[in-house]
Amino acid sequence: MYTDNINVRLRIGLSDRPAIIQLAEYKTWLNENNIKYSYVYSPQWANFPCAINMRNEDAVIFKLRFGL
C-alpha cells in the first residue's frame, strides 16, 4: 500500500535546551516554505515529538536540508 505521507524521525533530546532550539528551527523552516506538517508523539503523552509527518516530496527536501 502506497501512502502520500511519511514520518521523518527526529534526532533531538528529550527535554534539554538544544532540543527546544532545534525543534524551533525545524518549525520556522517548515512554515517559511509553506510545508504542511504535524508532529508525531510516541507515546501520545510525550513532551517532545519523535517525528514529523509530511508529504514524501517535502520530506526529501527536509532531510537534505537538515542532514537527517
Side-chain angles (χ1 to χ4, degrees):
M1 183 159 103
Y2 179 75
T3 61
D4 292 335
N5 289 359
I6 190 170
N7 289 339
V8 178
R9 306 256 337 133
L10 300 177
R11 295 185 210 157
I12 58 175
L14 296 176
S15 63
D16 54 348
R17 185 169 171 78
I20 295 170
I21 294 169
Q22 187 66 44
L23 196 58
E25 184 179 351
Y26 292 158
K27 182 178 178 181
T28 302
W29 186 85
L30 290 165
N31 289 336
E32 286 175 354
N33 291 291
N34 296 323
I35 295 174
K36 294 180 182 177
Y37 66 94
S38 62
Y39 293 124
V40 178
Y41 295 89
S42 182
Q44 227 174 1
W45 57 85
N47 291 334
F48 284 91
C50 66
I52 299 177
N53 184 285
M54 63 185 78
R55 289 184 1 192
N56 290 333
E57 297 82 10
D58 297 334
V60 170
I61 297 168
F62 181 79
K63 287 179 181 180
L64 289 172
R65 165 61 178 89
F66 291 104
L68 298 174

